[in-house]
Amino acid sequence: MPYHEFECSTCIPERKKHAVVKGPGETLADALPLGYLNTIPGTISERGCAYCGAKHVIGTPMKDVIHISHGPVGCTYDTWQTKRYISDNDNFQLKYTFATDVKEKHIVFGAEKLLKQNIIEAFKAHPTIKRMTIYQTCATALIGDDIDAIAQEVMEELPDVDIFVCNSPGFAGPSQSGGHHKINIAWIKNKVGTVEPEITSDYVINYVGEYNIQGDQEVMQDFFKRMGIQILSTFTGNGSYDDLRAMHKAHLNVLECARSAEYICNELRVKYGIPRLDIDGFGFEPLGNSLRKVGLFFGIEDRAQAIIDEETARWKPELDWYKARLMHKKVCLWPGGSKLWHWANVIHEEMGVDVVSVYTKFGHQGDMEKGIARCEQGALAIDDPNELESVEAMYKLKPDIIFTGKRPGEVAKKIRVPYLNAHAYHNGPWKGYEGWVRFARDIYNGIYSPIHELSKLDISKDEIPTDKGFVTQRMLSDANLPDEVRNDPNLRQYTGKYDMLAALRGKTYPAFEQHTPKEAAA
Amino acid sequence: MSEVKTERIEQMIDYIMKKCLWQFQSRAWDRRDQNLGVLSKTTQILCGEHVELETPADRCYWVDAVCLAEAYRERLPWLAALSVPEIKDLMQGLHERLDFLTIDGSLNEELTDQMY
Amino acid sequence: MHCELKEKDRIGTINPIFTCQPAGAQYASIGIKECIGIVHGGQGCVMFVRLLISQHLKESFEIASSSVHEDGAVFGALDRVEQAVDVLLMRYPHVKVVPIISTCSTEVIGDDIDGVVRKLNEELLPEKYPGREVHLIPIHTPSFVGSMVTGYDVAVRDFVKYFAEKGEPNGKLNLITGWVNPGDVKALKHLLAEMDIQANVLFEIESFDSPLMPDGNFVSHGSTTIEDLKRTGSASATLALNRYEGGQAAKYLENEFGQPTIVGPTPIGIRNTDTFLANLKKLTGKPIPHSLVVERGIAIDALTDLTHMFLADKRVAIYGNPDLVIGLAEFCLDLEMKPVLLLLGDDNANYGDDPRIQAMQQNVDYPMEIITNADLWDLEDRVKNQGLELDLILGHSKGRFAAMECNVPMVRVGFPTYDRAGLYRYPVVGYEGATWLAEQMANTLFTDMEYKKNKEWVLNVW
Ligand code: SF4
Ligand code: SF4
C-alpha cells in the first residue's frame, strides 16, 4: 500500500490519502497524494491564507509600489517584515506597509470613503511613488466595498498615479495558493498591455515566478544581462510595476516558480502567443541547462555556454568539497511549494544528500507529481502536513537536517534536528552557481555544528568527553573521510563574501549589437 | 512490447521525470501539447530530420528537445546503434508511456479543470 | 502645557505599531497549560501570529485554526468550529482548555461562537468525550475593535471569568502581569520570593525560555494551570501590573469576589518598583526585606554612574504597548532624559484619563507629544520631514527600519523583538529591569557615538 498513514492521524481518515511513500516500481499513476483541498480544521496545519499568497508572496516584492491593505491593521502588520524579498531601490517595499485601518464604524457604514482618503494620504506621504496595489482582506470582502470603483475614481482625480486592485481575501481558497492564482489573473486582466516598453535588445524575456529572496533575482539577472538579454520584467521580485504592465512585449516567458506564477504564463501564452519555458535556477546542471535553453531559443547558446564554463570552473571545486562531506546525509525537504521539485533531485545529485521526505504546505497535486518524480525511492511525500505528523515523521525518519519554515524550524530544533530556512534562506542567495555553493555551505554548517553535536549529550548519564576544549566542523565532517578526499587539492571550501550582491549591483555589461530596429513606444 | 524496449523506455522516462519540467504543466491539454511538441522534435533531432521552427512555440519545444536529445545521446550508449525506424518506434513508445503517466493515467485531479 | 495628547492626524496607518485583537488573545492563550486555542477565521490570522510569536520567543507552541474557506465565509462557518474542536480533542488527548477566538471575518459574518460552544457542551463533549475535562471558552476579538493590547486584556478577563471560583481563602495573591516576557516573570517571581509572598502568577510564561534537552521536547507552553485559574477567585488580593493588559480581569475579581485590588503602576524603573513593593506590602502585610534594599542599592548605584554624564537631556521617542511606553517614559524622566514623543498604537479613548499621562501633562516642562492611534510613520515623518531631533528610540522590532531611516539608535524593548538575540530573557521590570534598561540605553548610545564619531573620545575616561 503506497499511502502512508500517520499514527497521530488515524482518527482523521481523510488524511490518509495525503501521504505516499514512493515504492519500488511504482509510478505517479499508482499513487499521488491528494492536494489543494480544504484544510481539516483543528489539525494545526502549516497553511496560510489567500491574502498572504497574493499580497505577501507575489504582490509586495514589486519594489516601486505602495502596498496598501484594505482592512483592520492585523493582516498588514502580520505580513510585514517576515520575508527577505529585497530590491535594488533600497527596499522600499520592505520598509513601508500601509493599512486603511478599518474600525467598527466602517464595518457598519462601509469603508469606501476611508479607503479613498487613505489612498490620497499614502501618495502624499511618499510623493516619489506613483504606483499602488490595494489588497482586499477578509473584513472588507465581507462588507462588500467596491475597491475597483474607488481606485478608478482616484486615478481620474490624480492622473499621474496608477492603481492595481487585488481582490483576494484570506478565505479565498484552501491556502495561500488561492491568492497566487487571484493576483496572477488580476494582473494579466487589468494591467498587462497598458504600457508599451522600450525594447533594447533582440532578445526579450519576462522572468516569472522569481521573488528575489536574498537576491536570487539579481543573480539570475546577471546571467541574462551577460547574454545580452533584456529582462522586460520580473514577476515580481525586484520587479517594477510599469515594467510588469509591459509583459506582453516579451519574446519568451522564463518561468521559475510555476506553483505561484504559472497562471500568468499560461494566459500570456494564450493571449499573446508568448511561449512558456519552465526552468530551474537552482543547481549547476539544471541552471546550466536552463541558460542553454534560453540561449538556444534566441540562437545565442554560445553566450550561455561561455557563462556555464566560466562559472562551473570557478565554483565546482567548492561545491564538490561540500558534496564529499554531505554524502548520504538524510534530508527532509519540507518547503512551501516549488522548492520541493526544484531541489528534490539536484541536491541528491550535486550535494550527495538523500531526500527521505518531501512535503508541501500549499502545493497542488501537480507539485507533488514533480516532487515525487524527482526524489528517490522510499521517500515519504506529505501534502498539507500538520504539526503532529511532522514530528512523527521526524522521529521516524531521523533526518540529519530539514529545510522548512521558521516556526517548524523551532520544532525541529527542540528534537535536535538542524534546520535551514527553505523560504527565506539562511545565508543566501542560493540561486546561481555561487549561490548553490552557499546553500551547500549552509547545509554543511547546519549538520556539522559543534553545538548541535553537544546538544545530544546527556551530562547526567553519558560519558563526558573531557579530552577536547573545542571541536571544529572539519573535525566532525572529516573524521571518517578517506585521506584522498580529505586532502584533495582540487577541492576547496566556499571563498565568496558575506554579501555577494554588492559586486553585482555596480556591474557594467558588454553592449551587444541590436539587429531589429527599436520598436517605437506607443 | 519487448522487454528490452520497455527497459529502454523506462530509462528514458526516468531522465524526463528527474530532470525535466515541460511534461508537468497543469492542464491535460497543455501536457498533451507539450509532450507531443517536445518529443516529436526530439525524435526529429535523433533521426537527423529537419525540425520545424516556424513559430515561437516551435522554438520553445525545440530547445527542450535539443537538451533532451543531447542527454539521451550522452547517457544511453545503446542509442547510437539504433536505426531511424527503431528510434521512431522507441520514441513512439516513449510518447505513449509519458502520455499515460502524465495525462491518461495521472491521478492529478486538476488536469481536467477548464480554466487556468 | 507642554505635553500634548492627541490623535494621529492621518486616517490610515503606515507601518503599524500593533497587530489586531486575536493576536493578543493568542499570546494570552499560550500561557495556559494543557491549552490549545482555536482561532475562528482564515488561516492567516493564526499562521502569521504563530510566526510572529515564535520569532519573538524563538520557540514553538500550538494554536489551531478553524480554517474558514470561501464556503464558510458565505454560509457561516460554525461547523468548522465543531470539527476543529473534535479534531483537536482527538489528537491532543492532554488538552483541556480550548478558547475559541473570533476574528474579523467571523465577527462580520456573525458566527455565534457562544452558541456553538453551548451546542458542543451539550452534544459532542458528553457523547464522544464523557468524563474528559474540557473547557471551551468563547473569546470575542473582532480585529476592527481595539488592538492586540485589548485582545490580550479581553482574553485574560474571559479566562478568569470562566474559571475563577469562590473557595477557601488560599492566602495567595493574584499577580496579573500583563503582556510581558519570560524574563519579566522571572524577575517578578524573584521579588515575590524575597517578600515571602505566595502568588498566583497570570500567566506563568517563564517556561518559554525553554531548554533544548538531550531527550527532545518539541513544544513549549506556559505553566498556568486550570487550578491556578480557579483559585484566582479565592485569592486574598489581586495586583494587576498593567492597566491595559489584565486590568479588566482585576476589576472583575474585585467586583465579583470583593478582593482588595490594585491596578498598576507598571513596575518599570526604580520609583514604580518601589510602588509595586509598597502595594505588595499593603495587600499582604509583609515587610520589605533588607535583601531588596541591597538589590535596589545596586541598581541605584548603576544608574548613578550613567545619569548626569550620559543620559541627561537625551531626547527619546517611545512606542509600543501603552503600559510599557508610559512606564518607560516615567523611568526616562527619572533618568534625566527627555521623552519627546510617545506613540500609542490604538485609539483607546481613555488614555486621557490615565493619571500617569495626566501627570506628564501637568509636569513636563518641554515640548512632548503623546499620539494615540499612532503608527511608525508618525515617528519617521517627524524626524525626516518635520525637524524632530532624537537621540534614542525605544520600541519593538517592527520599527527597525524607521530607526535606520532616521539614523537614530534604538533599544529594542516590548513585543516583538525578533531582530535582537535573547531579549525575551531579560526583564524590564523590577530593580534588575531598571538596571538592564538604563545600561542598554547607555551602551546603545555609546556605540552610536563611536560609529558616528560624535564625541566618541568622551568614553576614554569614565
Ligand atoms: S483577517 Fe482580521 S483577524 Fe485576521 S489578521 Fe487580518 S485583521 Fe486580524
Ligand atoms: S512556492 Fe515557494 S518559491 Fe513559490 S512563491 Fe511560494 S515560497 Fe516562494
Side-chain angles (χ1 to χ4, degrees), chain A residues 12 14-15 38-45 47 384 386, chain C residues 38-41 43 64-69 77-91:
Chain A
I12 29 177
E14 310 94 291
R15 282 293 304 159
N38 283 357
T39 318
I40 303 172
T43 48
I44 314 200
S45 137
R47 284 170 160 182
D384 178 25
N386 54 62
Chain C
I38 293 172
V39 180
H40 183 34
Q43 292 163 157
S65 172
S66 65
S67 298
V68 172
H69 303 312
L78 288 171
D79 56 323
R80 307 290 287 177
V81 179
E82 293 182 40
Q83 203 185 342
V85 169
D86 189 24
V87 168
L88 193 73
L89 291 179
M90 281 195 286
R91 300 176 80 228

Side-chain angles (χ1 to χ4, degrees), chain A residues 196-218:
Chain A
E196 288 306 313
E198 192 193 337
I199 300 298
T200 58
S201 164
D202 296 333
Y203 319 116
V204 184
I205 63 167
N206 295 313
Y207 186 29
V208 184
E210 162 55 57
Y211 304 104
N212 203 30
I213 303 300
Q214 293 209 23
D216 276 356
Q217 187 267 358
E218 295 172 69

